[in-house]
Amino acid sequence: MIEGLPEPVDSCEIRLRINSADFIQTGSDIIAEVGIMAGNKGNWDLLPENYEGVRVKCSGTGQDGWFLLRLSLHDPVLPLNIESNEPGGVQKIAHELYEFFGRFDNLDLSAFKRFEL
């Protein structure tokens, strides 16, 4: 059934640890802020309602992909999945997200270190 589906050029999952006693509220607030940011960004499009979190299509230069940010129901973690059809596209999307996430003191960004940002 999935045999003919195209594969992305690059993909990754980054697990962002939430350092807050009320991680569900904190994570939900961060997801809402990402949705607002993406909705106002010229080269990113907020995709229709996603009950898992927020999904964004990224069409900036060299990005051609998407990301999904959701909240783990059991752990204080925000899983971030990124895919791109461009070589280096995941890194470009991750870089923009890393800069945005830097405003949250209670979010551990060490999982981004693999991108050498």
Side-chain angles (χ1 to χ4, degrees), residues 80-97:
L80 171 64
N81 296 90
I82 306 172
E83 287 190 5
S84 177
N85 296 314
E86 297 279 338
V90 165
Q91 176 144 354
K92 289 178 182 180
I93 295 167
H95 179 75
E96 290 194 43
L97 288 169

Side-chain angles (χ1 to χ4, degrees), residues 96-107:
E96 290 194 43
L97 288 169
Y98 177 79
E99 288 182 351
F100 179 79
F101 287 139
R103 64 193 276 181
F104 301 102
D105 294 335
N106 49 8
L107 198 56

Side-chain angles (χ1 to χ4, degrees), residues 4 6-7 26 31 34 39 42-43 46 58 69 71 81 95 97-98 105-106 108 112 117:
E7 291 288 324
T26 301
I31 288 170
V34 169
N43 57 356
L46 192 57
C58 305
L69 180 68
L71 178 62
N81 296 90
H95 179 75
L97 288 169
Y98 177 79
D105 294 335
N106 49 8
D108 179 358
F112 279 98
L117 302 174

